[in-house]
Structures are given as structure tokens and as C-alpha cells.
Amino acid sequence: MSADNLDPNIRDGVIHPEVRPPDDESERDQDGRRLRHAEGASKPVRAPAVREPQPRGAKIRGNRPVDQAEAAERFLAAPLHQAAHDERLWDLRKKRDVAAHGIPEWEELRDLASEIKTHTLSHLDRYLEQFEAAAKANGVHVHWAADGAEHNRIVLDILRRHEAKTLVKSKSMLTEECGFRHFMGAEGIEIIETDLGERIQQLDNEEPSHVVAPAVHKTRLDVAAVFAKTLGTDPDNDDAHYLAERQRETTRPYILNADAGMTGCNFAIAETGSVVTCTNEGNADLSGNVPPLQIHSIGIEKIIPKVEHLGVFIRLLSRSALGSPITQYTSHFRGPRKGTEMHYVLVDNGRSARLGMEEFWTSLKCIRCGACMNTCPVYRRSGGLSYGATYAGPIGLIIDPTFNKRKYSTLPFSSTMNGSCTNVCPVKINIHEQIFAWRKVLVEEHQIPVLKQGMMKAAGAMLSRPAAYRAAIGAADSALKVLPRFAVYNSLNTWGRKREMPDAPRQSFHAWYKENRMKGGKA
């Protein structure tokens, strides 16, 4: 068959032949072409033929600064995992671009979403009160938690009053932030994650590495090994459908018999007092609707004013996260079912303090799509667990220091400052500018090592004097041509690690410009 006779989408490589269904009944556009949904743009990532130990995350040593570079180096030393991680996330980034370009009003939506968030955060007290009043009118019990510890105590008190011993929950980054599962385990409450990725991480005793795809750093062989150890599956069977079905079979009995259920919150609507969750597995619906006791953990920044505003964010969220038009389930929880109880726990945990930070308050606009992670070259190559924090990648670099400046003081330096994160953010957070701002704050407050402080001070002195800078560049270029290899490639030169230094140019740009564009003193 000639290429001209192929389906246009196959010919263009949008649907990879290996994942194209035999009877393609998917949606079509007005010209009869298959819509470029997320699953249609993916080329399958093959599991490696040989087993490679999965690199673990950053080593946490109390309040000491997280050594993200050390953990990233271990991830880079596992080439099969690093390559698969990079390929998966870049695939999501490409699908995001296809989805965004398919909507003529994409930039208008981003502007509108950003403006809605700005307005809401500027009147957050009023909308929180409106949300509480509407929720109570719907029969919901509303609680307020100043921090993660109070959130955990409130939920524990609710569970004990109902003599609940088991709780099933859907994915929630807020509960990860609060250390909820570990706290409840110490109190004798069994917590079962129902999201596939979160369940994989729970069974492997790891934290999620991505806000949307918690186990994206694992290969199928890793998952097969975890399930063989914990669920009794065939260790030699790494088929994704087999593994997902085994997880479903073992999790469903927990859901059916659980004393309580918990979900997170993507959006909380002040007008109606309702909580909206977006999932692709339906696990939030099961966790929220099957048990007799229903609890929703809500970050106070998740408030939006009206139902009509929800459509803006729904159109942006899944396209930014996965490249798909919408999540499979967009669920609204408004009030308790007959004979059941519903509780909302509204959590601050540093958000009010961040709202008062002139340079960093807009980070509260984040809708947790993960688009900045998918595009970030540092995150893609170092793995989310290397950050040693609930939030990894570019958004983590600006959120994590608001929780603990000392512990996360190294993270804002784990960036190339290329600005791609800002370019893909659906709510237009100026992420790379905030990363730079955090660097300044951490230097001014002496939250970085003395050696780095000294190096930055010296660099600042040189860069502020053009003549000294040009002289240093000339000397360095000359030295690189004659220095022996061991003098260039050593532990002191981080730029020489895992890469070859480029050849020094014949002349600097300044010298070239002066010679070619400023003859006779004219530009």
C-alpha cells in the first residue's frame, strides 16, 4: 500500500501503528479526520529487555538541605529509567501542544483563567465564607485546618467518632503535603490508595514523583516486581493490562467494605458549596459514593467563584496535563447522600502566608496539571523523587521554599531558567521569574552553602565590571586550549561532568561585534 492511500493520521505519524485499534470508531472532525486525542498521539514506551534497579529518591536528613543533585546523579546513572522517564514526559508535552493548537481561543482561555484566579485570590476571604455558607446549607460539615497537623487531627477525630478503621482515598497532593497516610497508619487507621499510580507508590513505600502521574519514574518491570512482592502477581508478566487488572481486583473489596472514603479537590465552587474532582479512573466517585462517611480535603486556594468559571479550567486542565480534551470523570460533590455524612476540611498550611508574599503569591494559581514538569529538562532527566519534596519540578521550586526555606534551599538552583515552564502554564504563572526571585531571597538570607555564596559574590563582582569580564573570558578561552584534561575535568568543574566542554571560539561576541558592526564608531 502506498503512503498516499494510508489514513492521513497514520501517514502523519499521529497514531502509532502499534497502538491503533483494528476498528477505529473514535471521534472525527468536520473533515473526517480522527481527533488527535492523547492516546492517539502516543508512541508506546517499551519496557527495557533487561532489569535495572530503580533509583530511589533524595535522602532526607531531618531539616538539612535536600541534596537534589546527588539524587539526580543516581537517576542519571540508571540509563534505562532516565531514558524512559524523559520519553514519557516529553510525549505528554508534545500531546499538550497538539491539544492547545487545536483550540483557536487557547491563549484567551489562559488569560481568562489567570484573571479568574487573580480575582479570587484577591477576595479569598469573601469566597471562602460564601463557600462555607453554601456547603452548610447543603448539609455538609465544614472544618478549618491551620496546617497539615490540624488537618490530620480533624480527620482522625471524625473517623474515631464513627469508629472507622479503614479509609479508601483518591489521589490528593494536599494529603501528601500533610503526611496524612503515615499519620493515620501510626494511629491504627488503614488507608488504601485507589488511584493506580498512588497505589503503586504506596505498595512500594514511596511518595508520588509527579502531581498527575505518581509512578511515572517506574518502568513496567518495576511495577511487576512491586506487585509480585505485595499482590502475588506473576513476576515475569509486565503486561500493563494484566497489572492494572490485578490492582483493580485487589482494591475493589477495600472500596466495598471501607468505613470511610476521602477525595481531594480540583476546584471548590463558592457559589454552590460543591467540590469538583477530575479523574480518569473513576476512583474519586467510588471513594466518595460507596462508603457511608465521605471526607474531602481542600486547599483554600482551590476556590473559584461560580459554576460558569469551571468550564474555563476544565478545558485547560486535561489538555495541559495529558493532551486529552477532558478527563474521563469530572465529578461534582455537593451534599451527603441519604443516611450518610459529608465533611469538608479546608486547609491553609502556609497558603495565607504565601498570599502575602509580593513576588510569590501567584503560585497559588496553580491547578496541579504538571505541564511545567513535563517540559522541564531538569525534571525529565532527574526524576521527581530527587527533589525530596511533595511538589517537584518547576512548580515545586517556588512552592517548597514557602514551607521550609532551609530544607528546600537548593531546589531553586535546579533549573536552567529557560522559561518553558512559564510558556506552558495554563494559568500563566511566571514560574521562571519566581525561581530567580527565590535564588535572590535565599542568597540574601544566607540559606546557601558558604562556598556557593563566595563563588556568586565573586561572579557578581566580575559581571558588574565589563572590562574585567571580557578579560576573564579571554583568559579562560586561552587556558582551555592549553590546559591538560585533568585540570578541566575534575570535581571542581561541575560543567565538565557527563559532558564535553565546547571548543573555545576564535573570538568573543563582543570582539566580533566591535570588528564587524562598529567600524568607524557606527553600529
Side-chain angles (χ1 to χ4, degrees), residues 13 21 33 52 100 146 151 187 190 207 219 238 263 287 293 331 344 352 364 396 407 461 474 478 497 502 508:
R33 292 174 299 188
E52 175 185 77
H151 164 273
E187 295 292 337
E190 185 178 19
E207 307 304 316
T219 66
D238 67 337
T263 82
S287 300
L293 176 61
S331 308
Y344 292 166
S352 293
L364 291 166
K407 187 173 182 177
S478 299
R497 294 178 190 171
S508 68

Side-chain angles (χ1 to χ4, degrees), residues 149-261:
E150 188 172 6
H151 164 273
N152 295 342
R153 290 195 299 270
I154 289 170
V155 176
L156 179 62
D157 180 63
I158 296 170
L159 296 176
R160 284 182 170 165
R161 282 191 281 109
H162 289 80
E163 298 182 348
K165 295 294 185 182
T166 58
L167 180 145
V168 290
K169 65 181 289 290
S170 66
K171 187 161 71 67
S172 163
M173 294 307 296
L174 175 59
T175 58
E176 296 289 344
E177 183 184 316
C178 296
F180 174 76
R181 194 172 67 233
H182 302 290
F183 174 85
M184 288 296 168
E187 295 292 337
I189 306 295
E190 185 178 19
I191 307 296
I192 302 297
E193 298 285 353
T194 59
D195 174 85
L196 175 59
E198 286 281 357
R199 184 61 172 157
I200 292 169
Q201 290 304 93
Q202 180 184 21
L203 292 174
D204 200 24
N205 196 30
E206 277 190 332
E207 307 304 316
S209 69
H210 189 284
V211 295
V212 173
V216 70
H217 60 291
K218 283 180 162 62
T219 66
R220 293 201 306 270
L221 289 173
D222 295 331
V223 178
V226 172
F227 281 12
K229 181 179 179 180
T230 57
L231 303 181
T233 58
D234 180 355
D236 297 320
N237 190 342
D238 67 337
D239 178 72
H241 299 285
Y242 166 74
L243 295 171
E245 182 63 18
R246 287 298 297 135
Q247 184 270 347
R248 177 180 179 274
E249 290 173 351
T250 57
T251 303
R252 283 299 169 90
Y254 285 108
I255 295 173
L256 294 174
N257 297 301
D259 300 318

Side-chain angles (χ1 to χ4, degrees), residues 63-362:
N63 198 43
R64 292 173 60 185
V66 173
D67 193 346
Q68 195 265 344
E70 183 275 332
E73 195 165 319
R74 284 190 280 108
F75 194 79
L76 286 167
L80 299 176
H81 283 81
Q82 190 276 320
H85 189 261
D86 187 21
E87 185 176 348
R88 286 187 185 117
L89 294 171
W90 188 243
D91 182 55
L92 291 177
R93 162 63 204 267
K94 290 189 294 184
K95 289 188 290 189
R96 174 263 175 205
D97 291 347
V98 171
H101 295 155
I103 302 180
E105 65 273 24
W106 180 257
E107 291 303 319
E108 184 180 351
L109 285 170
R110 291 180 71 208
D111 286 332
L112 188 54
S114 183
E115 291 168 4
I116 292 170
K117 280 289 189 178
T118 297
H119 168 79
T120 309
L121 291 169
S122 301
H123 302 85
L124 189 57
D125 53 344
R126 170 157 61 90
Y127 286 117
L128 285 170
E129 290 175 355
Q130 183 183 2
F131 177 77
E132 179 187 33
K136 287 182 175 179
N138 295 336
V140 180
H141 301 273
V142 180
H143 312 265
W144 298 84
D147 53 29
E150 188 172 6
H151 164 273
N152 295 342
R153 290 195 299 270
I154 289 170
V155 176
L156 179 62
D157 180 63
I158 296 170
L159 296 176
R160 284 182 170 165
R161 282 191 281 109
H162 289 80
E163 298 182 348
K165 295 294 185 182
T166 58
L167 180 145
V168 290
K169 65 181 289 290
S170 66
K171 187 161 71 67
S172 163
M173 294 307 296
L174 175 59
T175 58
E176 296 289 344
E177 183 184 316
C178 296
F180 174 76
R181 194 172 67 233
H182 302 290
F183 174 85
M184 288 296 168
E187 295 292 337
I189 306 295
E190 185 178 19
I191 307 296
I192 302 297
E193 298 285 353
T194 59
D195 174 85
L196 175 59
E198 286 281 357
R199 184 61 172 157
I200 292 169
Q201 290 304 93
Q202 180 184 21
L203 292 174
D204 200 24
N205 196 30
E206 277 190 332
E207 307 304 316
S209 69
H210 189 284
V211 295
V212 173
V216 70
H217 60 291
K218 283 180 162 62
T219 66
R220 293 201 306 270
L221 289 173
D222 295 331
V223 178
V226 172
F227 281 12
K229 181 179 179 180
T230 57
L231 303 181
T233 58
D234 180 355
D236 297 320
N237 190 342
D238 67 337
D239 178 72
H241 299 285
Y242 166 74
L243 295 171
E245 182 63 18
R246 287 298 297 135
Q247 184 270 347
R248 177 180 179 274
E249 290 173 351
T250 57
T251 303
R252 283 299 169 90
Y254 285 108
I255 295 173
L256 294 174
N257 297 301
D259 300 318
M262 171 181 278
T263 82
C265 169
N266 288 98
F267 306 100
I269 304 174
E271 178 183 42
T272 60
S274 55
V275 167
V276 178
T277 63
C278 301
T279 69
N280 284 312
E281 301 173 32
N283 52 301
D285 297 71
L286 292 170
S287 300
N289 288 317
V290 176
L293 176 61
Q294 183 177 351
I295 304 169
H296 299 273
S297 294
I298 307 166
I300 59 173
E301 83 283 10
K302 296 297 182 71
I303 298 288
I304 59 175
K306 298 181 178 181
V307 174
E308 66 189 66
H309 299 138
L310 180 64
V312 175
F313 296 98
I314 292 298
R315 295 188 73 194
L316 289 166
L317 178 58
S318 192
R319 286 180 170 90
S320 297
L322 303 170
S324 58
I326 195 170
T327 51
Q328 302 299 319
Y329 301 89
T330 301
S331 308
H332 297 244
F333 299 96
R334 187 166 181 171
R337 292 167 286 117
K338 185 176 181 180
T340 68
E341 262 188 35
M342 180 185 286
H343 294 257
Y344 292 166
V345 185
L346 288 154
V347 184
D348 187 321
N349 203 35
R351 287 159 174 77
S352 293
R354 200 189 320 163
L355 190 57
M357 297 179 178
E358 183 176 356
E359 291 186 284
F360 307 114
W361 71 271
T362 57

Side-chain angles (χ1 to χ4, degrees), residues 64-69 386-387 397 401 405-415 439 442 447-449 452:
R64 292 173 60 185
V66 173
D67 193 346
Q68 195 265 344
S386 70
Y387 293 76
L397 304 189
K405 287 181 187 176
R406 173 172 165 74
K407 187 173 182 177
Y408 303 120
S409 58
T410 63
L411 297 189
F413 297 90
S414 298
S415 170
R439 291 182 180 183
L442 295 169
Q447 293 289 350
I448 63 173
K452 180 174 281 190

Side-chain angles (χ1 to χ4, degrees), residues 110 113-114 117 313 316 362 365-367 424-429:
R110 291 180 71 208
S114 183
K117 280 289 189 178
F313 296 98
L316 289 166
T362 57
K365 294 182 180 182
C366 177
I367 60 174
V424 300
C425 178
V427 289
K428 291 198 167 183
I429 302 172

